[in-house]
């Protein structure tokens, strides 16, 4: 990727004392500035990892009592690095001088964004069967979570100017043969600690064709000097209509302390995990759903479900904010809002036999609104969330081939196909022209820059009047990129096909499974990152990067 940042100012709209002509081979005329700038191809790397481990202890007290205690640890790490270099050169021709004043600069920037989250969990669940149609569950859970989002920017900028040819020592005497070096080393971010405690109870009751699960959870989230409490009732009920059909409905209230903060910046997209703080409360949601299920012959089951969900305390970056910007902490960039999502999901599955699999299709919408004072996004109007993927299709098929002469040994051939509507991002989609121009001898002059030229070159100038020029006069002079709305561009749809072949062999002790396969075997170039580039004619276009082309896979599992 090579980006050439060049601009040409026409003589008809700017005073004839200078023009910008990138890398011109023509002779430099008096009063002209010739300049160019370019960026070397930037290097971006992204890596992530997951570590997890758990210990489980099961114990039965007689036939009706069971205790399950578990302790676990997990760590998620995400890191994105960017290295870029930019150089520029400018030459100013002085009146009556055969030489010129060169100005050159070079800037090297290294940006690192990382997000690490650690999670320690201790949970104990007690179950008792009061009778065959009534099972009671109760438990307690503790979590200690640390999130560590950091952004580190290091840059060096070297500038050089040679004013040795200037013969007016009373002016700009300190700028002769100037070499400046400026350094930036900015580290932003801090470790956030959160302690969660949960108490819950649920009762599973069956009465004839009717079954219900009723429960509640009391959740607490503690950070520094503040504790948030959340009472979360929930109920799920199903009714068997006949031997093969049933209807289900559920209502639940939930809360969550951690959330993923996603940047849709085209310059440096990033995902960081953050937790609650004294000013950012947990997210809370209410979910309502209804589903219809039917069992067909050959063990084929169809279910259709509709849902509606509301969310409070959604988080997003404030307009103009981004974790890659220097001098800010992520907590000061956050806006709080509300959201809602709804949709319909259909699933057709067969889970019994040598030929198994499922097909799912989901149609859904996800809408966010940020209209709080000081935290307004998209002028307070609703907009589609990045998670709004209108259509999703997934097909999973698995065929098992048994070895009749060797019971327990078998082949498995699997294929998974997925399709999803492209996600939404924010890009500039219109241009705004604005500003004030001065007229001098019927030639448009930029007052700010012309005063600098007058002082530098001692050129007399008379300003006759100041007028507001029409938009077309600013085509290459004062042009600003604008946005029609948040998440105003939908990327191309994503499609993927994964295949695998497994062979399972039984041993004297245990069994082995060897699996070979390929991810994205069609080598579909699904877009992972997006940036603004240019075509051969210099027009700005949106370009995408595919991080996951076709990749082979190999695994071995030993079970005993």
């Amino acid at each position: 990727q090579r980006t050439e940042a060049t601009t040409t100012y026409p003589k008809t709209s700017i005073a004839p004392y200078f023009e910008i002509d990138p890398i011109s081979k023509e002779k430099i005329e008096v009063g002209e500035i010739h300049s160019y700038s370019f960026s070397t191809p930037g290097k971006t790397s992204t890596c992530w990892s997951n570590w997890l481990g758990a210990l489980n202890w099961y114990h039965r007290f007689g036939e009706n009592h069971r205790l399950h205690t578990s302790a676990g640890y997990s760590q998620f790490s995400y890191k994105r690095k960017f290295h870029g270099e930019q150089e520029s050169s400018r030459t100013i021709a002085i009146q009556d001088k055969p030489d010129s004043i060169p100005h050159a600069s070079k800037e090297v920037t290294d940006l690192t964004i990382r997000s690490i989250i650690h999670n320690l969990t201790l949970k104990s669940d007690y179950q008792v069967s009061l009778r065959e149609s009534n099972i009671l569950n109760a438990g307690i859970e503790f979590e200690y979570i640390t999130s560590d989002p950091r952004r580190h920017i290091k840059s060096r900028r070297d500038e050089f100017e040679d004013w040795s040819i200037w013969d007016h020592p009373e002016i700009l005497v300190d700028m002769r043969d100037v070499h400046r070096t400026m350094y930036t080393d900015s580290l932003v971010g801090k470790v956030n600690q959160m302690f969660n405690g949960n108490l819950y109870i649920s009762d599973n009751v069956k009465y004839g064709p009717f079954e219900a699960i009723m429960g509640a959870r009391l959740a607490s989230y503690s950070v520094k000097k503040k504790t948030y409490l959340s009472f979360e009732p929930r109920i799920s009920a199903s009714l068997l209509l006949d031997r093969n059909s049933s209807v289900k409905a559920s209502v639940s209230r939930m809360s969550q302390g951690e959330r993923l903060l996603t940047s849709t910046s085209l310059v440096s997209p990033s995902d960081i995990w953050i937790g609650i703080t004294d000013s950012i409360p947990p997210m809370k949601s209410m979910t309502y759903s209804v589903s219809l299920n039917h069992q067909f012959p050959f063990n084929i089951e169809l279910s259709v479900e509709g849902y509606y969900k509301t969310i409070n305390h959604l988080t997003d970056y404030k307009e103009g904010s981004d974790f890659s910007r220097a001098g800010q902490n992520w907590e000061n960039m956050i806006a709080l809002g509300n959201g809602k999502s709804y949709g319909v999901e259909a699933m057709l599955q067969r889970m019994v036999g040598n030929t198994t699999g499922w097909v799912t299709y989901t149609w859904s919408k996800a809408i966010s609104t940020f209209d709080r004072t000081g935290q307004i996004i998209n002028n307070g109007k609703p907009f589609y969330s990045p998670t709004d993927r209108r259509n999703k299709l997934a097909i999973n098929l698995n065929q098992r081939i048994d070895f009749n002469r060797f019971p327990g040994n078998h082949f498995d051939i699997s294929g998974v196909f997925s399709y999803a509507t492209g996600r939404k991002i924010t890009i500039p989609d219109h241009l705004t022209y604005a500003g004030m121009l001065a007229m001098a001898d019927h030639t448009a002059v930029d007052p700010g820059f012309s005063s600098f030229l007058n002082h530098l070159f001692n050129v007399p100038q008379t300003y006759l009047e100041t007028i507001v020029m029409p938009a077309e006069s600013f085509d290459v002079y004062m042009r600003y990129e604008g946005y029609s709305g948040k998440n105003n561009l939908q990327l191309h749809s994503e499609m993927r096909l994964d295949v695998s072949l497994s062979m399972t062999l039984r041993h004297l002790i245990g069994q082995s499974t060897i699996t070979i396969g390929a991810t994205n075997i069609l080598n579909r170039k699904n877009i992972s990152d997006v940036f603004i580039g240019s075509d051969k004619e210099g027009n700005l276009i949106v370009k995408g990067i595919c991080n996951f082309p076709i990749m082979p896979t190999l695994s071995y599992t030993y079970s005993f």
Side-chain angles (χ1 to χ4, degrees):
Q1 175 190 350
R2 178 183 174 90
T3 303
E4 294 184 355
T6 59
T7 308
T8 301
Y9 292 88
K11 293 181 179 180
T12 56
S13 62
I14 303 296
Y17 302 111
F18 72 95
E19 68 174 350
I20 296 179
D21 187 8
I23 320 180
S24 174
K25 297 181 180 179
E26 299 179 0
K27 180 181 177 180
I28 298 177
E29 301 295 337
V30 172
E32 287 187 340
I33 296 177
H34 286 234
S35 72
Y36 72 91
S37 64
F38 67 89
S39 300
T40 59
K43 297 180 179 179
T44 302
S45 64
T46 304
C47 60
W48 63 93
S49 63
N50 279 291
W51 295 90
L52 56 93
L55 294 174
N56 291 274
W57 177 56
Y58 296 89
H59 184 71
R60 288 188 175 276
F61 302 91
E63 296 183 358
N64 299 328
H65 302 265
R66 180 188 63 84
L67 179 66
H68 175 204
T69 301
S70 63
Y73 167 78
S74 66
Q75 174 188 297
F76 171 78
S77 177
Y78 168 91
K79 182 180 292 185
R80 174 182 287 264
K81 292 183 177 181
F82 172 80
H83 174 84
E85 299 181 9
Q86 184 174 11
E87 298 183 36
S88 64
S89 177
R90 183 178 64 188
T91 304
I92 306 176
I94 304 300
Q95 280 185 329
D96 302 326
K97 296 291 182 181
D99 300 318
S100 57
I101 301 173
H103 173 93
S105 67
K106 179 179 180 180
E107 185 170 6
V108 179
T109 302
D110 288 290
L111 168 65
T112 302
I113 295 176
R114 78 173 194 187
S115 177
I116 302 177
I117 183 167
H118 304 267
N119 189 313
L120 283 171
T121 305
L122 178 63
K123 180 179 179 180
S124 186
D125 180 88
Y126 175 74
Q127 182 184 97
V128 56
S129 298
L130 302 178
R131 54 181 179 271
E132 186 176 349
S133 60
N134 190 356
I135 300 176
L136 184 68
N137 276 80
I140 187 170
E141 181 180 17
F142 299 98
E143 283 186 299
Y144 177 71
I145 301 173
T146 60
S147 57
D148 185 9
R150 299 291 179 100
R151 187 217 57 235
H152 190 195
I153 296 178
K154 294 181 66 176
S155 67
R156 170 174 173 158
R157 181 179 177 86
D158 291 290
E159 294 185 352
F160 173 79
E161 294 176 356
D162 184 5
W163 292 80
S164 59
I165 65 171
W166 187 255
D167 57 1
H168 297 279
E170 70 278 3
I171 301 177
L172 303 174
V173 66
D174 296 331
M175 298 186 66
R176 298 172 182 265
D177 194 13
V178 175
H179 180 267
R180 292 186 295 266
T181 300
M182 293 168 284
Y183 295 90
T184 299
D185 193 340
S186 172
L187 178 64
V188 175
K190 61 181 180 179
V191 176
N192 296 275
Q193 301 174 338
M194 178 173 61
F195 181 81
N196 300 346
N198 303 311
L199 290 172
Y200 63 89
I201 186 172
S202 66
D203 191 10
N204 188 340
V205 179
K206 294 182 181 180
Y207 185 78
F210 177 79
E211 181 178 1
I213 302 176
M214 299 168 289
R217 185 178 81 145
L218 178 63
S220 67
Y221 304 90
S222 299
V223 290
K224 292 184 177 180
K225 301 178 182 179
K226 194 161 188 177
T227 298
Y228 300 92
L229 294 177
S230 177
F231 178 68
E232 302 167 10
R234 58 196 66 184
I235 181 171
S236 174
S238 64
L239 178 64
L240 191 63
L241 301 178
D242 55 37
R243 186 175 180 179
N244 297 315
S245 303
S246 64
V247 61
K248 298 180 181 180
S250 66
V251 179
S252 62
R253 186 185 187 195
M254 294 178 285
S255 64
Q256 181 175 313
E258 315 89 55
R259 74 277 311 271
L260 184 64
L261 188 60
T262 300
S263 166
T264 57
S265 167
L266 302 187
V267 180
S268 55
S270 61
D271 295 336
I272 62 172
W273 281 96
I274 63 174
I276 63 174
T277 66
D278 293 340
S279 59
I280 302 178
M283 291 191 298
K284 295 184 178 181
S285 68
M286 286 292 298
T287 305
Y288 312 86
S289 66
V290 177
S291 66
L292 179 64
N293 304 269
H294 185 77
Q295 188 81 26
F296 291 96
F298 305 105
N299 297 312
I300 297 176
E301 181 181 352
L302 173 66
S303 62
V304 180
E305 180 179 15
Y307 70 92
Y308 183 86
K309 183 177 184 179
T310 61
I311 307 175
N312 296 326
H313 305 146
L314 273 177
T315 55
D316 203 342
Y317 285 108
K318 294 179 180 178
E319 291 188 344
S321 296
D322 189 280
F323 195 69
S324 63
R325 299 178 183 270
Q328 298 188 63
N329 199 355
W330 63 263
E331 191 173 349
N332 300 323
M333 310 177 198
I334 300 300
L336 294 176
N338 301 319
K340 64 179 180 180
S341 61
Y342 53 90
V344 178
E345 179 178 290
M347 171 180 279
L348 188 67
Q349 62 178 343
R350 184 177 190 267
M351 306 306 295
V352 179
N354 282 1
T355 302
T356 58
W358 42 262
V359 179
T360 64
Y361 170 76
T362 303
W363 180 92
S364 62
K365 277 189 177 183
I367 302 172
S368 302
T369 305
F370 290 78
D371 56 3
R372 303 186 183 189
T373 303
Q375 304 182 45
I376 293 177
I377 299 178
N378 199 47
N379 294 322
K381 299 178 181 178
F383 59 90
Y384 291 118
S385 304
T387 55
D388 183 273
R389 312 291 287 271
R390 196 59 48 85
N391 298 282
K392 289 184 178 181
L393 174 67
I395 303 174
N396 184 311
L397 293 176
N398 182 80
Q399 179 64 50
R400 175 169 172 164
I401 304 174
D402 291 314
F403 298 151
N404 295 329
R405 297 183 57 184
F406 305 97
N409 298 335
H410 57 86
F411 277 112
D412 285 286
I413 303 174
S414 300
V416 180
F417 173 83
S418 61
Y419 168 89
T421 302
R423 70 182 191 276
K424 293 178 173 60
I425 61 172
T426 304
I427 65 165
D429 56 3
H430 68 271
L431 298 174
T432 300
Y433 305 93
M436 188 77 72
L437 289 180
M439 298 298 295
D441 296 331
H442 304 289
T443 301
V445 178
D446 173 16
F449 196 83
S450 64
S451 63
F452 167 74
L453 292 175
N454 292 339
H455 177 70
L456 184 61
F457 303 133
N458 196 22
V459 178
Q461 195 64 241
T462 302
Y463 297 100
L464 302 180
E465 60 178 331
T466 301
I467 63 173
V468 178
M469 302 295 291
E472 54 268 18
S473 300
F474 299 113
D475 191 11
V476 292
Y477 177 56
M478 299 184 71
R479 186 175 71 176
Y480 300 93
E481 296 176 342
Y483 302 83
S484 62
K486 178 80 170 178
N487 294 334
N488 54 0
L489 175 68
Q490 181 174 301
L491 298 179
H492 293 298
S493 300
E494 298 179 8
M495 189 183 305
R496 205 173 89 179
L497 175 62
D498 305 335
V499 296
S500 65
L501 173 64
S502 300
M503 182 174 63
T504 300
L505 301 174
R506 285 189 175 274
H507 309 306
L508 183 62
I509 300 177
Q511 66 180 24
S512 296
T513 301
I514 303 173
T515 303
I516 59 174
T519 300
N520 193 16
I521 193 172
L522 300 179
N523 199 29
R524 168 87 174 188
K525 294 179 174 58
N526 298 309
I527 296 177
S528 303
D529 295 331
V530 181
F531 64 95
I532 293 291
S534 58
D535 58 15
K536 295 180 179 179
E537 288 74 28
N539 301 314
L540 295 181
I541 59 175
V542 178
K543 293 186 176 182
I545 298 175
C546 173
N547 286 334
F548 301 99
I550 181 173
M551 292 184 293
T553 61
L554 173 65
S555 68
Y556 171 78
T557 304
Y558 176 68
S559 306
F560 58 93

